[in-house]
Amino acid sequence: MFYSGEELKAVFHKAKQQRFGIIASNVVFDFTIRGILQGYDQTKSDGLLQMSSGAVKYAAGNSKDMNTGAQLISTMIKTLSQQFKHSGVGLHIDHATPNYFDFIVYCLENNLVTSVMIDASHEKFSENIRISAEVVKIAHKYGVLVEGEIGYIKGSEDEIVSDTELYTNPEEALEFVKKTKVDLFAASVGTNHGVTKGSEVVLRLDLIKKIDDLLIANNVETGIVLHGASGLTTRQQQDAIANGVVKINKDTMYQMEMASAVQAYWEKEKDAIVKPAGISDHDYMPDKKRFDPRKWIGKAEENCSRALQELTVISGSAGKSILL
Ligand code: G3H
Ligand code: CA
């Protein structure tokens, strides 16, 4: 099922009250979308699929037209998700920086998304508040949820690249949430975008808890979002959830899972397309059954789906869909 903004709000509300996490999965291609949707349904978990600006440009092909890319991704998710009865999903715009304001409005006017992240975290604090509040005002008219961010995290994710990190200040977080009325709040608490090893990440659980407690004490409780969560250990993710995180973003992990599945396939099936040494041209025949893209891309899809299913068990969202 494809959720409305109101239904997605209920998903996050349930997760926050029962202290489990919703896995937000970055997608681009049909096979990631399919693998992820099937994965959520398999474990009866609600979820969120996210498209970055780079993803929508890629989806559109050479034109890189973001509106076309978003239409394609949204239509595919809406159509496929109708088949699944044990879980529901929404579609989220990930890291829309202020220069993509018109793109956000296009997605809202055309009913393509359930939620959107306005990322003005690299602007001055007052400017971040002004821009984020403006997006909230428009998005809420369409019943769409908004995620905002202050502070920024290190690493690279598509078009978002930062060599430095700036931890979120809890007092500023409170002021930001109060003034903007965002539904979800992304905090910088030690994670990095890209390939990371959880064992080397110093996750600031104290900061997550401080922000969450402060928001709750001031009656502006929102779900806290953890970006750059791919390398985190099971324990780190569960501790983050226990301290107030409700949305865990994953991108790099799926990319690695898909790449390793394809690599393993071709290591085993190389002779389907490459003539082994010592065999004559006359005796060698490529094997269409094994180089058909559905075979090897299918492995990527399966691995992506498996990884997501494990994540829903770790985050506790398995078996907790609001549809059940
Ligand atoms: O918004 C998406 C996530 O922050 C992706 O981070 O690439 O480290 O999984 P990741
Ligand atoms: Ca991110």
Side-chain angles (χ1 to χ4, degrees), residues 28-255:
V28 189
F29 323 99
D30 62 339
F31 55 93
T32 35
I33 292 174
R34 216 168 26 233
I36 294 288
L37 287 176
Q38 287 172 172
Y40 283 126
D41 204 60
Q42 277 290 321
T43 61
K44 301 184 171 58
S45 164
D46 291 324
L48 198 56
L49 284 76
Q50 317 196 120
M51 51 183 187
S52 64
S53 45
V56 291
K57 286 178 190 170
Y58 181 87
N62 288 344
S63 73
K64 295 192 182 347
D65 179 59
M66 293 179 73
N67 298 351
T68 303
Q71 284 279 6
L72 281 167
I73 293 175
S74 176
T75 304
M76 182 171 288
I77 293 172
K78 284 182 180 174
T79 308
L80 278 172
S81 63
Q82 283 167 11
Q83 304 173 89
F84 302 114
K85 308 293 177 214
H86 305 111
S87 65
V89 296
L91 175 60
H92 177 82
I93 305 176
D94 193 21
H95 288 289
T97 42
N99 50 318
Y100 292 129
F101 190 84
D102 291 348
F103 170 66
I104 296 175
V105 173
Y106 176 86
C107 290
L108 294 173
E109 286 176 344
N110 288 278
N111 187 30
L112 302 186
V113 296
T114 328
S115 54
V116 48
M117 176 186 191
I118 172 68
D119 180 0
S121 58
H122 285 260
E123 305 291 326
K124 261 181 24 203
F125 183 55
S126 57
E127 192 57 3
N128 186 356
I129 291 179
R130 186 191 67 75
I131 297 167
S132 303
E134 199 176 332
V135 170
V136 169
K137 211 166 136 195
I138 304 170
H140 282 182
K141 273 193 209 149
Y142 290 91
V144 165
L145 310 188
V146 178
E147 174 182 335
E149 172 172 353
I150 58 171
Y152 42 84
I153 78 173
K154 227 164 132 172
S156 76
E157 182 195 0
D158 251 19
E159 299 178 344
I160 305 292
V161 181
S162 180
D163 295 334
T164 52
E165 67 195 340
L166 178 66
Y167 290 126
T168 302
N169 171 315
E171 294 296 337
E172 284 187 354
L174 176 62
E175 186 183 345
F176 180 84
V177 171
K178 270 186 171 170
K179 289 187 173 162
T180 59
K181 301 194 168 43
V182 291
D183 308 280
L184 294 158
F185 177 70
S188 171
V189 289
T191 56
N192 296 333
H193 277 139
V195 180
T196 52
K197 290 185 181 147
S199 51
E200 290 166 12
V201 169
V202 181
L203 187 62
R204 293 282 309 275
L205 294 172
D206 59 316
L207 209 49
I208 298 173
K209 181 158 173 43
K210 210 163 171 187
I211 295 167
D212 194 44
D213 286 350
L214 207 53
L215 297 181
I216 292 172
N218 285 274
N219 294 319
V220 285
E221 179 176 12
T222 53
I224 295 179
V225 182
L226 200 56
H227 283 251
S230 273
L232 296 184
T233 63
T234 297
R235 181 67 196 268
Q236 285 172 320
Q237 296 177 78
Q238 291 175 341
D239 284 347
I241 293 164
N243 283 283
V245 163
V246 76
K247 174 172 177 271
I248 299 194
N249 288 10
K250 297 276 179 178
D251 185 12
T252 305
M253 180 187 178
Y254 299 127
Q255 295 177 346

Side-chain angles (χ1 to χ4, degrees), residues 1-16 20 22 45-48 78 81 84 87-91 111 113-115 142-145 183-184 246 320-324:
M1 172 173 176
F2 189 78
Y3 285 147
S4 64
E6 205 48 45
E7 288 160 335
L8 187 67
K9 202 172 187 166
V11 168
F12 283 119
H13 183 73
K14 180 174 178 179
K16 193 78 209 286
F20 62 86
I22 297 298
S45 164
D46 291 324
L48 198 56
K78 284 182 180 174
S81 63
F84 302 114
S87 65
V89 296
L91 175 60
N111 187 30
V113 296
T114 328
S115 54
Y142 290 91
V144 165
L145 310 188
D183 308 280
L184 294 158
V246 76
K320 298 271 181 58
S321 169
I322 56 165
L323 300 179
L324 300 173

